[in-house]
Amino acid sequence: MIHKKYVELVNEQQKLIKRKNHINTEFYNGVYDRYQYPILTRHHVPIHWRFDLDETTNPHFMERLGINATFNAGAIYLEGKYYLVVRTEGVDRKSFFALAVSENGIDNFEFIDTPIVWDNPYEEETNIYDMRLVQHEDGWIYGIYCSESKDPEASEFDTSSAIAQAGLVRTKDLKVWERMPNIETPSPQQRNVVLHPEFINGKYAFYTRPQDGFISTGKGGGIAFGVCDDITNPVIQEEVIMDEKVYHTVYEVKNGQGPAPIKTDKGWIHIAHGVRNTAAGLRYVLYTFATSLAAPEKIIAKPGGHFIAPYDDERVGDVSNVIFCNGVIVNEENKVFIYYASSDTRMHVATTTIDKLVDYTFNTPEDQLCSIENAKQRKSLIERNLRLLGK
């Protein structure tokens, strides 16, 4: 017999899922719209994913497999629907991938089916997270995620040192997934690997982030570019840094590619994350840059400062002061849906258009990397505006 509490919880959850999400009118920058509510939280995860519904085995209707957070989702647009592959973290700290879908990309997101699983030959893999989804021109949908395992060279009593590698899977329908070999690069550790959606000179192209340690990039760091001949044997022989970390910027500690770049008439638009250090810890924000259509590793435009940063309630969570994005969708109307997580806790969406994104990326001034020069930049803007105002 199903416990009577189940119906009550499902009814309450449906109110949350069906809630309309409106533009947050208290925020305006002309670049993108933020929304009033997160699109996914731990409260959206289905009741039957968390509770044993059988009254005989769970008489007190206790949550048996709790959920801690829903964040860092890959995104893809298929047959007019908006799909997210969500990093869903249990209270056991293990992450798994779960599929959520919406008809409009802004609200009514609902988890479907069951958690995504596949046959995994990597027995040492302990945790998986932060999948980037790419519809490649070869006809497959690829997912690249962070594959975490315990550092085999750690000392006997060191139970926290880890190794990050780039796990690779592919699917045709988001239902059946094939595990492929990990992506190999010259770097000892690897995060934030993203597949370019098109062939480059007949090769598969990747954006990587070389790093020496699990958290610290060491002598590595920056967004790199590399290619391989065969996706079934994904070995990248050389990583060339295309976007370096820079002192006293929003990406001074480390940076990494977010989702796959967006193709526009003027160039590939990239959404990346940048990290800087503060007295309160690391602060993650998003920034953009553009690369050449002919050479996607060559930067041709880069606005100064951050694109999206933690705002109001987004600042607080499991890992506070963090914005992270590994999913973006462009629909047939050229509307852009940027799916970002706040503070490793919940998912949000921001919307803009291709035209606005291109305008922002190509016409926003670059960081002059010096306070006085940046002040001169602002002074020039103010003086032009005062002339327009007749002052």
Side-chain angles (χ1 to χ4, degrees):
M1 182 180 295
I2 295 176
H3 201 288
K4 60 184 178 181
K5 184 69 174 177
Y6 169 69
V7 175
E8 178 185 329
L9 292 181
V10 166
N11 288 338
E12 286 301 311
Q13 186 180 63
Q14 283 301 304
K15 293 177 185 176
L16 174 68
I17 291 171
K18 301 302 180 186
R19 179 178 62 185
K20 293 297 294 180
N21 207 0
H22 301 285
I23 291 172
N24 182 353
T25 56
E26 295 180 359
F27 176 91
Y28 178 81
N29 65 2
V31 182
Y32 55 82
D33 289 317
R34 270 183 153 103
Y35 286 79
Q36 187 175 0
Y37 302 116
I39 58 170
L40 285 173
T41 70
R42 65 186 182 90
H43 302 293
H44 288 75
V45 177
I47 307 301
H48 65 282
W49 288 23
R50 296 147 47 196
F51 289 82
D52 173 2
L53 305 187
D54 192 329
E55 191 173 26
T56 59
T57 54
N58 190 16
H60 300 289
F61 207 62
M62 294 181 179
E63 190 176 57
R64 298 300 194 196
L65 293 173
I67 297 294
N68 184 59
T70 54
F71 58 116
N72 295 8
I76 196 164
Y77 187 60
L78 289 176
E79 298 177 348
K81 293 184 179 181
Y82 301 78
Y83 289 90
L84 301 182
V85 172
V86 186
R87 175 179 178 179
T88 311
E89 185 182 84
V91 294
D92 54 13
R93 195 184 167 194
K94 306 300 185 296
S95 294
F96 60 89
F97 296 121
L99 196 61
V101 63
S102 165
E103 296 286 342
N104 62 20
I106 292 170
D107 53 30
N108 284 234
F109 271 99
E110 193 162 7
F111 285 96
I112 60 173
D113 303 330
T114 61
I116 297 169
V117 296
W118 49 72
D119 292 331
N120 186 25
Y122 293 90
E123 294 182 358
E124 70 278 8
E125 184 180 78
T126 300
N127 201 21
I128 58 176
Y129 47 90
D130 301 355
M131 184 184 289
R132 275 78 167 179
L133 285 174
V134 173
Q135 178 87 62
H136 196 272
E137 68 169 311
D138 72 359
W140 285 94
I141 299 168
Y142 291 93
I144 303 179
Y145 64 90
C146 183
S147 170
E148 179 185 327
S149 58
K150 187 178 185 297
D151 187 347
E153 297 183 3
S155 64
E156 180 182 358
F157 300 106
D158 180 354
T159 53
S160 62
S161 293
I163 291 178
Q165 295 296 319
L168 177 64
V169 292
R170 67 182 179 182
T171 182
K172 292 281 190 179
D173 56 9
L174 302 181
K175 295 180 182 296
V176 179
W177 298 76
E178 176 189 356
R179 180 62 156 96
M180 303 174 72
N182 282 348
I183 297 168
E184 295 184 23
T185 73
S187 304
Q189 302 224 27
Q190 193 59 257
R191 282 184 189 270
N192 303 305
V193 178
V194 182
L195 178 64
H196 191 73
E198 297 181 359
F199 287 113
I200 302 296
N201 298 322
K203 298 180 184 292
Y204 290 89
F206 297 85
Y207 304 95
T208 68
R209 208 273 297 284
Q211 60 187 80
D212 296 336
F214 183 70
I215 300 297
S216 171
T217 59
K219 65 178 182 295
I223 299 172
F225 185 82
V227 298
C228 79
D229 296 321
D230 182 2
I231 195 73
T232 65
N233 182 32
V235 178
I236 299 170
Q237 300 287 355
E238 183 182 18
E239 296 174 279
V240 178
I241 298 295
M242 54 182 278
D243 186 35
E244 295 182 300
K245 54 186 182 178
V246 180
Y247 169 69
H248 213 278
T249 61
V250 297
Y251 40 85
E252 72 172 7
V253 172
K254 51 187 173 181
N255 55 336
Q257 180 79 17
I262 301 166
K263 192 174 188 179
T264 73
D265 291 340
K266 293 195 68 174
W268 293 97
I269 304 293
H270 299 248
I271 298 172
H273 64 268
V275 186
R276 69 178 176 95
N277 223 334
T278 74
L282 298 178
R283 173 175 165 86
Y284 280 67
V285 300
L286 306 182
Y287 68 100
T288 75
F289 60 90
T291 60
S292 166
L293 290 175
E297 75 282 6
K298 180 182 178 182
I299 294 179
I300 57 175
K302 188 175 183 181
H306 67 246
F307 174 59
I308 298 180
Y311 181 73
D312 286 353
D313 292 346
E314 296 172 355
R315 296 176 181 272
V316 179
D318 266 10
V319 185
S320 293
N321 214 13
V322 168
I323 292 292
F324 193 88
C325 172
N326 51 298
V328 66
I329 284 172
V330 181
N331 68 13
E332 62 276 344
E333 298 172 350
N334 279 338
K335 187 172 183 179
V336 182
F337 297 74
I338 301 163
Y339 294 102
Y340 68 94
S342 68
S343 299
D344 283 10
T345 301
R346 58 194 83 81
M347 284 300 304
H348 306 262
V349 65
T351 57
T352 185
T353 65
I354 290 292
D355 285 347
K356 286 184 178 181
L357 198 54
V358 167
D359 187 349
Y360 169 81
T361 303
F362 282 89
N363 296 321
T364 301
E366 292 188 17
D367 189 340
Q368 299 301 302
L369 306 179
C370 169
S371 288
I372 290 296
E373 295 305 315
N374 282 15
K376 289 179 181 178
Q377 193 180 66
R378 193 177 300 272
K379 182 175 184 289
S380 176
L381 171 66
I382 293 168
E383 289 173 344
R384 291 200 311 273
N385 285 339
L386 289 175
R387 287 194 294 272
L388 283 173
L389 293 169
K391 296 183 180 179

